[in-house]
Amino acid sequence: MVVLVFAHPYPDRSRANRRLLDAVKKLDDVEVRSLYDLYPGFDIDVAAEQAALEKASTIVWQHPTYWYTVPGLMKHWFDKVLLRGWAYGEGGTALRGKRCLWVPTTGGDDVAYTESGMHGRAFESYIPVVEQTAVFCGLRWETPLIVQGVHDLSDEALDAAANNYRARLEALIAADGSSS
């Protein structure tokens, strides 16, 4: 089972994240946890979130990139849900061995994320913080699916990204089924 933690504060304004989510949300064995719908006041139900994660074999973190990282509610979710003794530290084995797929979108394209571009470095230099969060909790880090330049993506390019996302999740679900 895949638990997809979706964190977009304005999903109705997001052509890209909405299209990506639509491509995968109806797959069998995918449960979407839309944080801004579930917790508009940031009052996270830790027990419910941990119970969802415990059922998962794959955890997906999908969101737009805000200030080079995850949106505020997802960071708060990390702080509240990924607890010592549950997700890491002594006795913290609840997530050990589960897969983690990160699916961030960016407004800037790959040129903006270069040394000479607007952001001054490649997007890959922002990956380690999120990757380390996953690895520290014992998750197996999958190669991220990064969709850049979403404001200017053609419909065809966005469809290709959505199809790639769907294929990635279908492959993870199939791999889980074959290992049961």
Side-chain angles (χ1 to χ4, degrees):
M1 165 170 215
V2 173
V3 170
L4 192 163
V5 181
F6 178 67
H8 197 304
Y10 309 107
D12 56 326
R13 298 184 207 166
S14 173
R15 175 178 152 260
N17 270 278
R18 197 172 53 241
R19 177 67 184 94
L20 292 170
L21 187 60
D22 285 348
V24 299
K25 71 182 180 183
K26 291 183 181 172
L27 287 172
D28 289 339
D29 296 323
V30 172
E31 177 185 340
V32 176
R33 312 277 309 159
S34 183
L35 297 184
Y36 283 90
D37 289 336
L38 290 168
Y39 309 114
F42 281 53
D43 189 19
I44 293 172
D45 183 339
V46 173
E49 294 304 306
Q50 289 178 342
L53 296 177
E54 286 173 351
K55 297 183 302 187
S57 53
T58 299
I59 299 165
V60 177
W61 294 329
Q62 179 188 335
H63 62 85
T65 302
Y66 280 27
W67 289 106
Y68 310 106
T69 192
V70 301
L73 183 51
M74 181 164 272
K75 172 58 170 84
H76 184 59
W77 183 92
F78 287 163
D79 294 342
K80 292 297 198 179
V81 175
L82 304 179
L83 296 175
R84 176 192 300 257
W86 185 81
Y88 70 94
E90 186 175 337
T93 60
L95 302 178
R96 187 167 296 153
K98 297 174 187 281
R99 291 183 183 93
C100 183
L101 175 63
W102 186 38
V103 184
T105 60
T106 70
D109 61 16
D110 57 344
V111 173
Y113 283 98
T114 61
E115 194 172 304
S116 61
M118 177 171 55
H119 299 292
R121 60 185 60 197
F123 188 80
E124 286 71 21
S125 56
Y126 302 106
I127 294 173
V129 171
V130 179
E131 180 179 7
Q132 184 58 25
T133 299
V135 171
F136 192 72
C137 293
L139 292 163
R140 291 185 298 161
W141 185 250
E142 296 287 322
T143 302
L145 175 62
I146 303 163
V147 183
Q148 291 186 271
V150 296
H151 300 304
D152 297 319
L153 276 184
S154 68
D155 289 338
E156 295 76 19
L158 187 52
D159 285 343
N163 291 336
N164 184 21
Y165 187 18
R166 183 180 179 94
R168 291 279 304 272
L169 287 192
E170 287 173 333
L172 291 170
I173 292 166
D176 291 339
S178 66
S179 65
S180 323

